[in-house]
Amino acid sequence: MSGTRAPRTTPNSRLRAALFAVPVVLGLLGAAAPAAPSPAPSTGLRAGAPLTCRGQGVDPGAPVRHRTEIVIDAPLRTIWKLQTDVENWPSWQPSVESVDRLGHGPLRPGAAFRWTLPIPPHPSTPATRLDITSTVRQIKNQACVRWTGPAIGEGLRIDGVHVWTFTEVEGGVRVATEETHAGPQVEADVPTASLLLRQGLEAWLQALKSAAETRAHR
């Protein structure tokens, strides 16, 4: 016996392992790889009033919150289709393992979907996955969508609220997104959770931009 002990798993190590493994979203919850530089700078919270969809926004009391945006040179209908056709997210978001609609038809208030993200092993944690159940609360066709729901992994729960808005502007469509996270593990390390949420949201926008512009300019 060498006498070397395995690293102890703590709530903070589980949080970091999960957040570093997830792109998003998200939603949602971090970055599977370092986010590429965004050609449109992050607006943060200094850019103005919080985003809303049909008058409803993110959780004002959540300890972690971020807002960012990007301009995409593609038709609004193309961008909207990519973002709201949730079952096809894995085709352009490589870190999304699977998505299952919990119902049929187009997204509408009350529609829900469950999606999974693999979490690779870290020195202090085994490989696992994050299961996210998102429920649409408000939606306006080709204008905005707001969903809420928990992300649950081994020893981890994050309650998220996510708003997306889509606005036609010169040069394309401005896609803006704002998300909040709450939960004991998030509160245990707010700076890390905030940083990784920012990276995740910006990585998601970059993937959406790439997919939409590729389709638009074929």
Side-chain angles (χ1 to χ4, degrees), residues 103-157:
H104 303 285
L107 290 189
R108 61 173 71 87
F113 53 97
R114 182 176 296 118
W115 46 300
T116 61
L117 299 154
I119 299 175
H122 281 242
S124 59
T125 57
T128 183
R129 72 179 191 178
L130 205 62
D131 293 305
I132 305 167
T133 302
S134 298
T135 302
V136 175
R137 303 301 181 182
Q138 287 80 27
I139 189 168
K140 184 175 181 180
N141 186 46
Q142 298 190 33
C144 67
V145 61
R146 174 180 178 267
W147 57 60
T148 67
I152 299 173
E154 185 179 352
L156 173 70
R157 178 187 172 106

